[in-house]
Short mmCIF file of all heavy atoms in Angstrom, two decimals:
data_model
loop_
_atom_site.label_atom_id
_atom_site.label_comp_id
_atom_site.label_asym_id
_atom_site.label_seq_id
_atom_site.Cartn_x
_atom_site.Cartn_y
_atom_site.Cartn_z
N MET T 121 205.70 84.08 121.81
CA MET T 121 206.79 83.12 121.73
C MET T 121 206.95 82.70 120.27
O MET T 121 206.00 82.21 119.66
CB MET T 121 206.48 81.91 122.61
CG MET T 121 207.63 80.92 122.70
SD MET T 121 207.24 79.51 123.78
CE MET T 121 206.05 78.63 122.78
N THR T 122 208.12 82.89 119.71
CA THR T 122 208.36 82.57 118.30
C THR T 122 209.59 81.68 118.16
O THR T 122 210.51 81.75 119.00
CB THR T 122 208.58 83.86 117.47
OG1 THR T 122 209.79 84.50 117.90
CG2 THR T 122 207.41 84.81 117.63
N PRO T 123 209.66 80.87 117.11
CA PRO T 123 210.81 79.97 116.94
C PRO T 123 212.13 80.70 116.81
O PRO T 123 213.18 80.18 117.22
CB PRO T 123 210.47 79.21 115.64
CG PRO T 123 209.00 79.35 115.49
CD PRO T 123 208.63 80.66 116.09
N ASP T 124 212.10 81.90 116.25
CA ASP T 124 213.35 82.67 116.06
C ASP T 124 213.53 83.76 117.10
O ASP T 124 214.34 84.67 116.93
CB ASP T 124 213.40 83.27 114.65
CG ASP T 124 212.09 83.94 114.27
OD1 ASP T 124 211.15 83.92 115.08
OD2 ASP T 124 212.02 84.47 113.14
N ASN T 125 212.75 83.67 118.20
CA ASN T 125 212.91 84.57 119.35
C ASN T 125 212.85 86.04 118.94
O ASN T 125 213.66 86.86 119.35
CB ASN T 125 214.22 84.29 120.08
CG ASN T 125 214.23 84.85 121.49
OD1 ASN T 125 213.17 85.07 122.09
ND2 ASN T 125 215.41 85.12 122.01
N GLN T 126 211.86 86.38 118.12
CA GLN T 126 211.70 87.75 117.65
C GLN T 126 211.28 88.69 118.78
O GLN T 126 210.41 88.36 119.58
CB GLN T 126 210.64 87.79 116.55
CG GLN T 126 211.06 87.16 115.24
CD GLN T 126 211.96 88.07 114.45
OE1 GLN T 126 211.79 89.28 114.41
NE2 GLN T 126 212.96 87.48 113.81
N ASP T 127 211.89 89.86 118.83
CA ASP T 127 211.51 90.88 119.81
C ASP T 127 210.43 91.76 119.19
O ASP T 127 210.69 92.87 118.72
CB ASP T 127 212.73 91.71 120.22
CG ASP T 127 212.41 92.68 121.36
OD1 ASP T 127 211.32 92.56 121.95
OD2 ASP T 127 213.25 93.55 121.63
N ILE T 128 209.22 91.23 119.17
CA ILE T 128 208.10 91.90 118.52
C ILE T 128 206.92 91.93 119.47
O ILE T 128 206.92 91.25 120.51
CB ILE T 128 207.70 91.20 117.21
CG1 ILE T 128 207.45 89.70 117.45
CG2 ILE T 128 208.77 91.41 116.13
CD1 ILE T 128 206.99 88.92 116.24
N LEU T 129 205.90 92.71 119.11
CA LEU T 129 204.72 92.84 119.96
C LEU T 129 203.44 92.67 119.13
O LEU T 129 203.42 92.96 117.93
CB LEU T 129 204.69 94.21 120.64
CG LEU T 129 205.76 94.51 121.68
CD1 LEU T 129 205.68 95.98 122.11
CD2 LEU T 129 205.62 93.59 122.89
N PHE T 130 202.39 92.22 119.83
CA PHE T 130 201.05 92.18 119.26
C PHE T 130 200.07 92.72 120.29
O PHE T 130 200.40 92.84 121.48
CB PHE T 130 200.66 90.74 118.89
CG PHE T 130 201.31 90.25 117.63
CD1 PHE T 130 202.58 89.67 117.67
CD2 PHE T 130 200.67 90.35 116.40
CE1 PHE T 130 203.19 89.23 116.51
CE2 PHE T 130 201.27 89.91 115.24
CZ PHE T 130 202.53 89.35 115.28
N SER T 131 198.89 93.04 119.84
CA SER T 131 197.84 93.52 120.74
C SER T 131 196.77 92.45 120.89
O SER T 131 196.24 91.95 119.89
CB SER T 131 197.21 94.80 120.17
OG SER T 131 196.16 95.24 121.02
N GLY T 132 196.47 92.10 122.14
CA GLY T 132 195.45 91.10 122.42
C GLY T 132 194.17 91.73 122.92
O GLY T 132 193.84 92.86 122.57
N GLU T 133 193.46 90.99 123.77
CA GLU T 133 192.19 91.47 124.31
C GLU T 133 192.18 91.26 125.82
O GLU T 133 192.91 90.42 126.36
CB GLU T 133 191.01 90.77 123.65
CG GLU T 133 190.97 90.98 122.15
CD GLU T 133 189.61 90.71 121.53
OE1 GLU T 133 188.70 90.27 122.27
OE2 GLU T 133 189.46 90.95 120.32
N TYR T 134 191.33 92.05 126.48
CA TYR T 134 191.23 91.99 127.94
C TYR T 134 189.76 91.92 128.32
O TYR T 134 188.92 92.66 127.77
CB TYR T 134 191.87 93.23 128.57
CG TYR T 134 191.68 93.35 130.06
CD1 TYR T 134 192.54 92.70 130.95
CD2 TYR T 134 190.64 94.10 130.60
CE1 TYR T 134 192.36 92.81 132.32
CE2 TYR T 134 190.45 94.21 131.96
CZ TYR T 134 191.32 93.56 132.83
OH TYR T 134 191.14 93.67 134.18
N ASN T 135 189.43 91.03 129.23
CA ASN T 135 188.08 90.92 129.76
C ASN T 135 188.12 91.12 131.26
O ASN T 135 188.89 90.45 131.96
CB ASN T 135 187.47 89.55 129.43
CG ASN T 135 187.24 89.39 127.93
OD1 ASN T 135 186.38 90.03 127.36
ND2 ASN T 135 188.04 88.53 127.30
N SER T 136 187.29 92.00 131.76
CA SER T 136 187.35 92.36 133.17
C SER T 136 186.95 91.21 134.08
O SER T 136 187.28 91.21 135.27
CB SER T 136 186.46 93.57 133.45
OG SER T 136 185.11 93.27 133.15
N TYR T 137 186.21 90.22 133.55
CA TYR T 137 185.85 89.09 134.39
C TYR T 137 187.01 88.09 134.52
O TYR T 137 186.91 87.13 135.26
CB TYR T 137 184.59 88.39 133.88
CG TYR T 137 184.60 88.04 132.42
CD1 TYR T 137 185.23 86.89 131.95
CD2 TYR T 137 183.97 88.86 131.49
CE1 TYR T 137 185.24 86.56 130.62
CE2 TYR T 137 183.97 88.54 130.14
CZ TYR T 137 184.61 87.39 129.71
OH TYR T 137 184.61 87.09 128.37
N ARG T 138 188.11 88.33 133.76
CA ARG T 138 189.35 87.57 133.95
C ARG T 138 190.49 88.58 134.12
O ARG T 138 191.36 88.72 133.26
CB ARG T 138 189.64 86.66 132.75
CG ARG T 138 188.63 85.55 132.56
CD ARG T 138 189.22 84.43 131.69
NE ARG T 138 189.76 84.94 130.44
CZ ARG T 138 189.07 85.01 129.30
NH1 ARG T 138 187.81 84.59 129.27
NH2 ARG T 138 189.63 85.48 128.20
N PRO T 139 190.50 89.32 135.23
CA PRO T 139 191.38 90.49 135.36
C PRO T 139 192.86 90.19 135.32
O PRO T 139 193.66 91.08 135.04
CB PRO T 139 190.96 91.09 136.70
CG PRO T 139 190.34 89.96 137.45
CD PRO T 139 189.66 89.12 136.43
N THR T 140 193.26 88.97 135.60
CA THR T 140 194.70 88.68 135.61
C THR T 140 195.16 88.01 134.33
O THR T 140 196.33 87.69 134.17
CB THR T 140 195.05 87.77 136.80
OG1 THR T 140 194.34 86.52 136.65
CG2 THR T 140 194.68 88.42 138.12
N GLU T 141 194.25 87.78 133.39
CA GLU T 141 194.59 87.03 132.19
C GLU T 141 194.48 87.90 130.95
O GLU T 141 193.49 88.60 130.75
CB GLU T 141 193.65 85.82 132.03
CG GLU T 141 193.81 84.77 133.12
CD GLU T 141 192.89 83.59 132.87
OE1 GLU T 141 192.61 83.27 131.70
OE2 GLU T 141 192.45 82.98 133.87
N LEU T 142 195.48 87.80 130.11
CA LEU T 142 195.45 88.40 128.79
C LEU T 142 194.91 87.36 127.81
O LEU T 142 195.29 86.19 127.88
CB LEU T 142 196.86 88.82 128.38
CG LEU T 142 197.06 89.14 126.89
CD1 LEU T 142 196.57 90.55 126.59
CD2 LEU T 142 198.53 88.99 126.51
N ASP T 143 194.06 87.77 126.91
CA ASP T 143 193.62 86.89 125.84
C ASP T 143 194.49 87.20 124.62
O ASP T 143 194.33 88.24 123.98
CB ASP T 143 192.14 87.15 125.52
CG ASP T 143 191.62 86.25 124.41
OD1 ASP T 143 192.41 85.43 123.89
OD2 ASP T 143 190.44 86.38 124.05
N PRO T 144 195.46 86.32 124.28
CA PRO T 144 196.41 86.62 123.21
C PRO T 144 195.83 86.35 121.82
O PRO T 144 196.49 85.76 120.97
CB PRO T 144 197.59 85.70 123.53
CG PRO T 144 196.96 84.52 124.17
CD PRO T 144 195.78 85.04 124.95
N GLU T 145 194.61 86.77 121.61
CA GLU T 145 194.01 86.70 120.28
C GLU T 145 194.22 88.05 119.60
O GLU T 145 193.90 89.10 120.16
CB GLU T 145 192.52 86.38 120.35
CG GLU T 145 191.87 86.33 118.97
CD GLU T 145 190.45 85.82 119.00
OE1 GLU T 145 190.26 84.57 119.01
OE2 GLU T 145 189.52 86.65 119.03
N SER T 146 194.74 88.03 118.41
CA SER T 146 195.01 89.26 117.69
C SER T 146 194.31 89.24 116.33
O SER T 146 193.82 88.19 115.88
CB SER T 146 196.52 89.47 117.52
OG SER T 146 196.81 90.81 117.22
N GLN T 147 194.27 90.37 115.68
CA GLN T 147 193.55 90.52 114.42
C GLN T 147 194.39 91.33 113.45
O GLN T 147 195.23 92.14 113.85
CB GLN T 147 192.23 91.28 114.64
CG GLN T 147 191.35 90.79 115.75
CD GLN T 147 190.20 91.75 116.01
OE1 GLN T 147 189.81 92.54 115.16
NE2 GLN T 147 189.64 91.67 117.21
N HIS T 148 194.12 91.13 112.16
CA HIS T 148 194.76 92.00 111.18
C HIS T 148 194.37 93.45 111.45
O HIS T 148 195.19 94.36 111.30
CB HIS T 148 194.34 91.60 109.76
CG HIS T 148 195.24 92.15 108.70
ND1 HIS T 148 195.28 93.50 108.40
CD2 HIS T 148 196.13 91.56 107.87
CE1 HIS T 148 196.17 93.70 107.43
NE2 HIS T 148 196.70 92.55 107.10
N LEU T 149 193.15 93.67 111.89
CA LEU T 149 192.68 95.03 112.17
C LEU T 149 193.55 95.74 113.20
O LEU T 149 193.71 96.96 113.15
CB LEU T 149 191.23 94.99 112.65
CG LEU T 149 190.15 94.84 111.58
CD1 LEU T 149 188.81 94.54 112.21
CD2 LEU T 149 190.06 96.10 110.71
N THR T 150 194.11 94.99 114.16
CA THR T 150 194.90 95.66 115.21
C THR T 150 196.29 96.06 114.74
O THR T 150 197.02 96.72 115.48
CB THR T 150 195.05 94.77 116.46
OG1 THR T 150 195.75 93.58 116.11
CG2 THR T 150 193.70 94.42 117.06
N CYS T 151 196.63 95.73 113.51
CA CYS T 151 197.96 96.11 113.02
C CYS T 151 198.11 97.63 112.84
O CYS T 151 199.23 98.11 112.68
CB CYS T 151 198.27 95.39 111.71
SG CYS T 151 198.82 93.68 111.96
N PHE T 152 197.03 98.38 112.90
CA PHE T 152 197.14 99.84 112.85
C PHE T 152 197.82 100.39 114.10
O PHE T 152 198.31 101.53 114.10
CB PHE T 152 195.75 100.48 112.73
CG PHE T 152 195.05 100.68 114.05
CD1 PHE T 152 195.17 101.89 114.74
CD2 PHE T 152 194.30 99.67 114.63
CE1 PHE T 152 194.56 102.07 115.97
CE2 PHE T 152 193.69 99.83 115.85
CZ PHE T 152 193.81 101.05 116.53
N VAL T 153 197.86 99.59 115.17
CA VAL T 153 198.29 100.09 116.47
C VAL T 153 199.75 100.55 116.44
O VAL T 153 200.11 101.53 117.11
CB VAL T 153 198.07 99.00 117.55
CG1 VAL T 153 198.60 99.48 118.90
CG2 VAL T 153 196.60 98.65 117.66
N GLY T 154 200.59 99.90 115.66
CA GLY T 154 201.98 100.34 115.57
C GLY T 154 202.08 101.76 115.08
O GLY T 154 202.84 102.58 115.63
N GLY T 155 201.33 102.09 114.05
CA GLY T 155 201.34 103.46 113.53
C GLY T 155 200.80 104.45 114.53
O GLY T 155 201.31 105.57 114.64
N MET T 156 199.78 104.06 115.28
CA MET T 156 199.20 104.95 116.29
C MET T 156 200.23 105.26 117.38
O MET T 156 200.40 106.42 117.78
CB MET T 156 197.96 104.32 116.91
CG MET T 156 197.36 105.13 118.05
SD MET T 156 195.99 104.28 118.87
CE MET T 156 196.82 102.86 119.58
N PHE T 157 200.92 104.21 117.87
CA PHE T 157 201.95 104.44 118.89
C PHE T 157 203.07 105.32 118.33
O PHE T 157 203.58 106.21 119.03
CB PHE T 157 202.52 103.11 119.39
CG PHE T 157 201.86 102.58 120.62
CD1 PHE T 157 200.89 101.58 120.53
CD2 PHE T 157 202.19 103.07 121.87
CE1 PHE T 157 200.28 101.08 121.67
CE2 PHE T 157 201.58 102.58 123.02
CZ PHE T 157 200.62 101.57 122.92
N GLY T 158 203.47 105.07 117.11
CA GLY T 158 204.53 105.88 116.52
C GLY T 158 204.14 107.33 116.39
O GLY T 158 204.90 108.24 116.75
N LEU T 159 202.92 107.58 115.90
CA LEU T 159 202.44 108.95 115.74
C LEU T 159 202.29 109.63 117.08
O LEU T 159 202.74 110.78 117.27
CB LEU T 159 201.11 108.93 114.98
CG LEU T 159 200.49 110.29 114.67
CD1 LEU T 159 201.39 111.10 113.73
CD2 LEU T 159 199.10 110.11 114.05
N GLY T 160 201.66 108.95 118.04
CA GLY T 160 201.51 109.54 119.37
C GLY T 160 202.84 109.80 120.03
O GLY T 160 203.05 110.83 120.69
N GLY T 161 203.78 108.86 119.86
CA GLY T 161 205.10 109.04 120.45
C GLY T 161 205.81 110.26 119.91
O GLY T 161 206.48 110.99 120.67
N ARG T 162 205.66 110.51 118.61
CA ARG T 162 206.30 111.70 118.02
C ARG T 162 205.59 112.99 118.45
O ARG T 162 206.23 113.95 118.87
CB ARG T 162 206.29 111.60 116.50
CG ARG T 162 207.45 110.82 115.94
CD ARG T 162 208.75 111.63 116.05
NE ARG T 162 209.86 110.93 115.44
CZ ARG T 162 210.73 110.18 116.08
NH1 ARG T 162 210.62 110.00 117.40
NH2 ARG T 162 211.72 109.59 115.44
N LEU T 163 204.27 113.01 118.36
CA LEU T 163 203.53 114.24 118.67
C LEU T 163 203.68 114.64 120.13
O LEU T 163 203.76 115.83 120.45
CB LEU T 163 202.04 114.07 118.34
CG LEU T 163 201.66 114.05 116.85
CD1 LEU T 163 200.20 113.67 116.69
CD2 LEU T 163 201.92 115.41 116.22
N PHE T 164 203.72 113.64 121.02
CA PHE T 164 203.73 113.93 122.45
C PHE T 164 205.10 113.69 123.09
O PHE T 164 205.21 113.70 124.31
CB PHE T 164 202.66 113.10 123.15
CG PHE T 164 201.28 113.26 122.55
CD1 PHE T 164 200.51 112.16 122.22
CD2 PHE T 164 200.78 114.52 122.28
CE1 PHE T 164 199.25 112.30 121.66
CE2 PHE T 164 199.52 114.68 121.71
CZ PHE T 164 198.76 113.57 121.40
N ASP T 165 206.11 113.48 122.26
CA ASP T 165 207.48 113.33 122.73
C ASP T 165 207.62 112.19 123.73
O ASP T 165 208.16 112.33 124.83
CB ASP T 165 207.97 114.65 123.36
CG ASP T 165 209.49 114.69 123.50
OD1 ASP T 165 210.18 113.93 122.79
OD2 ASP T 165 209.99 115.46 124.34
N ILE T 166 207.10 111.01 123.34
CA ILE T 166 207.20 109.82 124.18
C ILE T 166 208.01 108.79 123.38
O ILE T 166 207.45 108.01 122.61
CB ILE T 166 205.82 109.25 124.54
CG1 ILE T 166 204.86 110.35 125.02
CG2 ILE T 166 205.94 108.15 125.59
CD1 ILE T 166 203.44 109.90 125.21
N GLU T 167 209.30 108.79 123.53
CA GLU T 167 210.16 107.93 122.73
C GLU T 167 209.85 106.46 122.95
O GLU T 167 209.96 105.63 122.03
CB GLU T 167 211.63 108.21 123.04
CG GLU T 167 212.61 107.50 122.13
CD GLU T 167 212.42 107.85 120.66
OE1 GLU T 167 211.97 108.98 120.36
OE2 GLU T 167 212.72 106.99 119.80
#
């Protein structure tokens, strides 16, 4: 949720002992994920 209603995504964490809850904690380290999705999407034809 952002003040300017940005259509953006982040990666959080998941714990199996709270199966219905997302932990919306993110890290600078997880910012690589965008590149990974982009590369995988191109290589495997997943737009």
Side-chain angles (χ1 to χ4, degrees):
M121 186 178 72
T122 66
D124 46 359
N125 198 24
Q126 289 282 322
D127 187 10
I128 53 178
L129 293 172
F130 284 86
S131 178
E133 301 199 355
Y134 173 85
N135 293 290
S136 62
Y137 50 82
R138 294 200 307 267
T140 61
E141 294 182 31
L142 165 80
D143 180 359
E145 179 172 277
S146 198
Q147 310 171 22
H148 197 291
L149 281 168
T150 62
C151 280
F152 85 93
V153 177
M156 176 186 65
F157 266 100
L159 183 63
R162 275 287 184 264
L163 287 172
F164 306 131
D165 196 21
I166 313 172
E167 188 59 29

